[in-house]
Amino acid sequence: MKKLVFLISLVSVVMTAALASAAEPIKLGYLAALTGEYAPYGIAEVNSAKMFFDKLNNAGGVLGHPVELISYDTKSRPEDAVNAVRRMIESDKVVAVLGSNTSSINLATGPLVNAAKVPQIGTATTNPAVTVDENGKVYPYSFRICFTDPYQGTIAAEFAYNDLGKKRAAILWNVGSDYAQGLREFFIAHYKKLGGEIVIDEGYRDSDVDFRAQLALVKQSGVDFLFLPGLGRDMGLIIKQAREMGLDNEQLKVVGGDGYGEFMIDIAGNALVGTYWITHVNYYDPNMQPIFKEYQEVYKEEAKEFGNVTLAYDLAKWVTDAIERAGTAEGPAIAKALEETKGLKLMHFTLTIDPTDHNPLNKPGIILTIGEDLKSAFFKEVAPK
Amino acid sequence: MQFQILIQQIVNGLSLGSVYALIAVGYSLVYSILLFSNFSHGGFLVIGGYICYYMLALENTQFWTSFINSESALARVFAKIWSPGLISNIWFASAVSLIGAGIAAVIVEKMAYKPIRERTPTTLYILIASMGMSIVIENLFVVTIGGRYKAIPPVIPMQTVELFAGATTSAFDLLSLATSVIFLAALQSFLVKTKWGLAIRAASCNLKVTGMMGVNVNRLIAIVFFVAGMLAAVGGIFLSARYTLYPQLGGNITTKAFVAAVIGGLGSLPGAVAGSVILGLAEMLTTGFVSSQFRDLIVFTLLIGTLIIRPGGLFGKSIVEKI
């Protein structure tokens, strides 16, 4: 019996050694909502990252190893995300977690990745608490590739107050979302500082689809500006219902945050014409066209959620660069390389990381507007002050 | 000012309540016969919505063109009744959707519930099967069609209609209210005027005795599920036109319809309608005069309050074995 055990362990040791010598893949996790209401964003991200790594592997991989991307579905639920990340770290042994695009998710998985010393980089996790604790101290293994909500809230408030000339505002927001809550707070703070007044501030729940009761209050109050710090479906339905209630674009200008998704045009159609959205990516930037074209060729469908496609692609590029600079595929070394990123030329901007809060430095915000042709159009770029 | 909000929220509440009513009545109808809450009811609604969506989208597809041009017997029969624009006609699409959802409901009953109800008199098992069924249907759509939002083409008019006292509604709301009333009235006359209606009313008093009196119970149950599926599809078409179509649509809104059915008294059709209107009004008025954040708190307090004071709901008949 003892001999048998010895023999088996010997065989397994030999086999592991043999496998390791044949360029073992570097494993990266991708965390995204692949089913459920926010799947359109998540699927676009995983597809885009996969497209990047497939190309990379064909060209020889990184540090001589191919990259294996392992994606898990969060179903947009923090509890599922925690399980997924645990599985990535403990059984898949990933060296970094890419995604998710939701602050609530990365807030939940933060303690886990920091304890395991595996860096996690969010694509659109704009809530500041994702990377720093309440005392402003940075979590060593939490990163983001996007701007933050205070910054986004500032852009929105200034755009509404100065560019649109709206001094009174209404806000409808999802009370169950960390993202919405944060963005709303930062918007209100800056808008008030500018001299604006918040007249209506109403909440709704995650599963809500009918917003007419809240919109009736907006209509009643006569406020002609609405700020939406929500996600695609809610915002699409709110705008659609507002227009149905007779609040046209003249009576109610709408500005929303980066929860904007192109699928909102399917939901709300004409109702969206004339609305403004603060996002990360300028779709019409010539630098980005190759990614969208490639995406179309690989997946036989348009890169509709172009913001997510670009963020995920650039994230994949950034992580690859960090692994290369680290010279080894180990969590702590990768985290250090991520932190030291300086002047890295990505597709949609040039990335330098602020080591004190793990935010990209001076990342520009893009304001989109929806035209008569039901396409999003570049409106202006807002450079940070 | 306050008066105007009041009128506006009442109008909104009635229109929301009328859609809840279509779904709640389906719940109550099944409950009245089999004494269990059919949680897969939301699935029928989504099936109805998707059939309508694909019917509307079908006419311009390759599949349709090649089908019509093929020489198969079915295509020849179809070509006789087909005229350009027929398939994408909302009335035709809705009719197919209603029948499709009705058939789906009958199939679900035959596959999942019939084997259970033939083996055990305890309705708890069917209730659990129906919860499972609702998840199965939702996920079937997730894996086959995907989670993306589908918007029904704007075939239903949405213009704003001015009412008195400055309140507004949309043509869509008026249409959905009218449709609900028509379908509920049709159901009522089906139950009162026809032989099968009589059998259903008898079965809601006592299914076993009805069977002993010579009524084919399996067929009766199939008819009840078919009708419930059709009503769900009507709700599904309106809901997906208003809130867009996605696999989880059923779950979100049917919880509300279920609450409405319980407030009204499960098993009672007038109760389901009354409960839906009360719920719709309560939701809208809470948001209008208290705060949107208190809405669910107040709605569910209303539910618990009703159950404490009248455990059978407002129009409920008996309180035994309600699950």
Side-chain angles (χ1 to χ4, degrees), chain A residues 34-40 43 173 175 201-214 216-217 219-221 233 237 240-241 243-247 262-263 266-268 301 304-305, chain B residues 1 4-5 8-9 12 15-16 142 147-151 158-160 162 166 168-170 172-173 240-244 246 248-249 252-253 256 283-284 287-293 295-296:
Chain A
L34 302 176
T35 59
E37 292 167 18
Y38 304 117
I43 293 169
W173 58 290
V175 294
D201 181 23
E202 289 287 331
Y204 57 86
R205 309 282 316 189
D206 249 340
S207 56
D208 282 2
V209 286
D210 200 290
F211 306 96
R212 283 175 292 170
Q214 291 93 322
L217 295 178
K219 190 174 179 188
Q220 195 62 42
S221 69
R233 190 200 53 159
L237 288 174
K240 185 175 176 215
Q241 288 165 22
R243 301 295 188 236
E244 276 167 35
M245 288 171 71
L247 292 164
E262 288 287 298
F263 67 89
D266 294 340
I267 294 180
E301 64 173 26
K304 261 194 165 180
E305 306 313 331
Chain B
M1 281 294 260
Q4 201 177 335
I5 296 187
Q8 181 68 60
Q9 301 294 28
N12 290 344
S15 110
L16 188 64
V142 169
R148 264 199 108 86
Y149 299 94
K150 310 260 185 224
M158 293 274 186
Q159 317 81 322
T160 313
E162 292 283 335
T168 58
T169 182
S170 68
F172 181 90
D173 283 326
S240 45
R242 154 148 272 150
Y243 306 125
T244 71
Y246 51 100
Q248 293 82 9
L249 176 70
N252 294 346
I253 204 110
K256 294 285 175 62
E283 286 195 356
M284 291 294 178
T287 310
F289 292 99
V290 189
S291 159
S292 49
Q293 294 186 45
R295 198 193 59 194
D296 284 1

Side-chain angles (χ1 to χ4, degrees), chain B residues 51-62:
Chain B
I51 294 178
C52 182
Y53 172 84
Y54 279 104
M55 285 304 291
L56 290 174
L58 186 64
E59 191 143 18
N60 301 321
T61 57
Q62 187 101 45

Side-chain angles (χ1 to χ4, degrees), chain A residues 156 159-161 163-172 187 191 215 218-219 222-229 235 238-239 242-243 246-256 271-277 367-370 372 379:
Chain A
F159 181 68
Y161 195 86
D163 295 35
L164 298 178
K166 303 294 183 193
K167 319 288 182 210
R168 298 167 78 230
I171 304 178
L172 298 189
F187 173 82
Y191 193 69
L215 287 167
V218 174
K219 190 174 179 188
V223 177
D224 59 353
F225 167 67
L226 175 65
F227 179 61
L228 294 177
M235 298 195 292
I238 288 172
I239 296 168
R243 301 295 188 236
L247 292 164
D248 61 27
N249 188 38
E250 286 311 307
Q251 283 162 332
L252 192 70
K253 285 269 180 231
V254 180
V255 171
L272 283 184
V273 173
T275 53
Y276 299 98
W277 304 94
I367 297 177
L368 297 176
T369 184
I370 310 297
E372 293 284 346
F379 187 73

Side-chain angles (χ1 to χ4, degrees), chain A residues 98-165:
Chain A
L98 286 67
S100 76
N101 54 30
T102 318
S103 298
S104 326
I105 299 277
N106 284 32
L107 284 170
T109 57
L112 212 62
V113 295
N114 279 286
K117 298 197 160 89
V118 172
Q120 179 178 26
I121 314 102
T123 47
T125 47
T126 47
N127 192 310
V130 170
T131 57
V132 293
D133 66 16
E134 61 266 42
N135 303 320
K137 195 171 164 293
V138 69
Y139 296 121
Y141 292 89
S142 299
F143 295 85
R144 67 163 62 81
I145 193 171
C146 50
F147 49 63
T148 59
D149 289 333
Y151 177 63
Q152 189 181 173
T154 308
I155 296 181
E158 277 180 11
F159 181 68
Y161 195 86
N162 296 331
D163 295 35
L164 298 178

